[in-house]
Amino acid sequence: MSQEQIPKTQLAAVSDDASGFEIREIPVVQANELEPGRALVKVLYSGVCHTDLHVIKDDWPVKAERPCIAGHEGAGIIVAINDPISKLKVGDKVGVKWIAHSCNQCEFCIAGDEPLCLEAKCSGINAQGSFMQYCPAYTSQLTPIPDNLDMAEAAPILCAGVTVYKALKNSRARAGQWIAIPGAGGGLGSLAVQYAKWMGLKVIAIDSGAEKKKYCEEIGAAAWVDFKESKDIVAAVKAATPDGLGPHAAIITSPQPEAYLIAMEYIRPRGTVVAVGLPPAGAYVKADVFFTVLNNKTLTSSYVGNRQDAIESLQIAADGHVKCRIQTVPFKALEKVYTQMAEGSLVGRAVLDLFA
Ligand code: 8ID
Ligand code: ZN
């Protein structure tokens, strides 16, 4: 069943409670112990998403089943499989995503809305995620990774990439139009800038600090607004469009609630705000009812993507149209990555090398 020696133990980042996590040795599920419908994935790289930090801090109304192992941008190789129906096989390069499992038979799955499946399992919540060297993953949501895409570069696409790619589709913005991206210097946001540009959109990047400004301009943002320095963000975002009416859409990728209080104001009439960032419980979107109606504005949301979105977003990266700025660090640097993420000093994505 297995072509390579599978060790008995491995390192995993295990969280016992909301105080944090510990990287410790745990058993590896052996090939003959794999449940039906599972593959053992040797995780080579895993991106660190702000979601992982929300999960281990118990930020959200949905809590992890503990002990939990977070991580959902895992790029690895199948080393064993127990699934006679799946076309996947040992040696395949695959991605472990946020949606770890879906039934693929319910109304939502059949319509391509697998993230809404009532039986969905999520990495770190009720399925083991990619912050482990050998992940016993469900085959139902494993995503093939194109051969010509570097595995470390593929990792951030598995959540950040697919999520913003889908959100851009849901924004209804068309080539030539303007889009605002709060959170543009972060993992999701910096990929959103690039997918948006590839789709022919003009981007107003909203984030803070000279390094993020420089990076957003390098990857093609047409305008920049610093949310910490700007006295009037709404006016600055509107002024960035040639007619002063504001962008046609906004994709909110900020993990903090403030960005949700102003976006419905700065989009132009008939514009769309797409909620993506997931601030801690108790965050609200602010929208003036009268002007939302008179100006026909839309508030919508976007939650990761389906299997096809994942395949498409990876292919766009493999074709060289988007490239996440990654900082590859050893597994033991996870704590430091979380600290940098919490203080907002990370540009692009940190990617863990699970075996370094
Ligand atoms: O399916 C989904 N909807 C989905 C999928 C994946 C991730 C949602 N998320 C959520 C995460 O849970 C998190 O809440 O998206 C959010 C962003 O994740 P991320 O991109 O992984 O976070 P990051 O790399 O830390 O980047 C966040 C950026 O936001 C900026 C920060 O400076 C940082 O660059 N930011 C903040 I904090 N407040 C801001 C504000 N008010 C802001 N940018 C603009 N305006
Ligand atoms: Zn994520």
Side-chain angles (χ1 to χ4, degrees):
M1 201 180 247
S2 161
Q3 288 171 348
E4 86 164 51
Q5 199 62 33
I6 296 168
K8 296 278 180 245
T9 62
Q10 62 175 325
L11 293 176
V14 185
S15 171
D16 296 310
D17 55 51
S19 67
F21 71 94
E22 184 189 48
I23 296 181
R24 61 179 179 238
E25 213 161 80
I26 63 164
V28 175
V29 174
Q30 296 298 300
N32 60 359
E33 297 166 344
L34 273 178
E35 289 173 22
R38 303 269 198 149
L40 190 65
V41 177
K42 180 177 180 182
V43 182
L44 302 178
Y45 297 98
S46 181
V48 184
C49 177
H50 211 110
T51 289
D52 300 313
L53 185 56
H54 292 305
V55 166
I56 66 153
K57 280 168 60 193
D58 278 357
D59 269 349
W60 293 339
V62 173
K63 312 283 182 211
E65 288 174 10
R66 293 234 163 54
C68 82
I69 296 172
H72 57 276
E73 290 184 347
I77 293 170
I78 296 180
V79 293
I81 186 162
N82 180 9
D83 189 336
I85 295 164
S86 173
K87 291 200 167 83
L88 293 168
K89 58 186 187 316
V90 169
D92 283 0
K93 294 178 180 175
V94 288
V96 175
K97 304 191 301 326
W98 172 250
I99 301 298
H101 171 67
S102 58
C103 79
N104 295 345
Q105 296 172 66
C106 70
E107 174 191 330
F108 298 111
C109 286
I110 289 169
D113 282 326
E114 301 130 42
L116 304 183
C117 174
L118 297 181
E119 290 175 30
K121 294 204 185 288
C122 300
S123 299
I125 299 287
N126 51 3
Q128 291 181 324
S130 55
F131 293 161
M132 62 196 301
Q133 293 172 321
Y134 290 88
C135 177
Y138 294 86
T139 54
S140 60
Q141 279 286 335
L142 279 177
T143 303
I145 295 178
D147 266 337
N148 60 337
L149 183 58
D150 177 83
M151 291 293 267
E153 282 173 16
I157 308 297
L158 293 162
C159 176
V162 62
T163 300
V164 298
Y165 173 66
K166 180 63 163 231
L168 283 158
K169 284 190 187 174
N170 286 342
S171 77
R172 301 180 307 175
R174 297 189 308 271
Q177 296 185 329
W178 287 80
I179 192 149
I181 302 175
L188 268 68
S190 62
L191 279 164
V193 173
Q194 297 180 58
Y195 281 105
K197 198 155 175 258
W198 179 74
M199 290 172 176
L201 299 165
K202 284 176 269 191
V203 176
I204 304 166
I206 310 174
D207 210 308
S208 186
E211 202 187 345
K212 287 181 183 169
K213 174 176 192 280
K214 186 166 170 276
Y215 180 52
C216 288
E217 286 169 352
E218 268 167 31
I219 54 178
W224 164 262
V225 174
D226 191 309
F227 75 91
K228 286 188 185 156
E229 280 174 9
S230 175
K231 300 259 175 307
D232 186 343
I233 302 171
V234 172
V237 172
K238 285 186 167 185
T241 54
D243 58 9
L245 290 176
H248 300 79
I251 309 274
I252 315 290
T253 66
S254 157
Q256 293 298 331
E258 290 75 14
Y260 279 107
L261 302 177
I262 50 173
M264 288 294 280
E265 263 187 78
Y266 60 60
I267 52 160
R268 73 173 53 210
R270 216 185 313 108
T272 303
V273 170
V274 188
V276 173
L278 289 162
Y284 292 90
V285 182
K286 193 169 160 209
D288 178 281
V289 174
F290 185 81
F291 287 112
T292 298
V293 175
L294 251 72
N295 290 322
N296 261 214
K297 292 182 178 181
T298 300
L299 169 66
T300 188
S301 62
S302 201
Y303 178 38
V304 285
N306 61 26
R307 289 170 292 169
Q308 182 61 20
D309 297 315
I311 287 167
E312 291 173 14
S313 57
L314 282 162
Q315 193 55 52
I316 293 163
D319 291 344
H321 300 299
V322 308
K323 189 178 170 121
C324 191
R325 172 158 147 185
I326 56 169
Q327 195 190 326
T328 307
V329 297
F331 196 3
K332 61 178 182 295
L334 180 56
E335 182 80 56
K336 191 171 159 219
V337 170
Y338 280 148
T339 306
Q340 291 173 320
M341 196 167 244
E343 66 191 23
S345 61
L346 263 183
V347 184
R349 226 358 154 226
V351 172
L352 305 177
D353 178 339
L354 277 290
F355 288 87

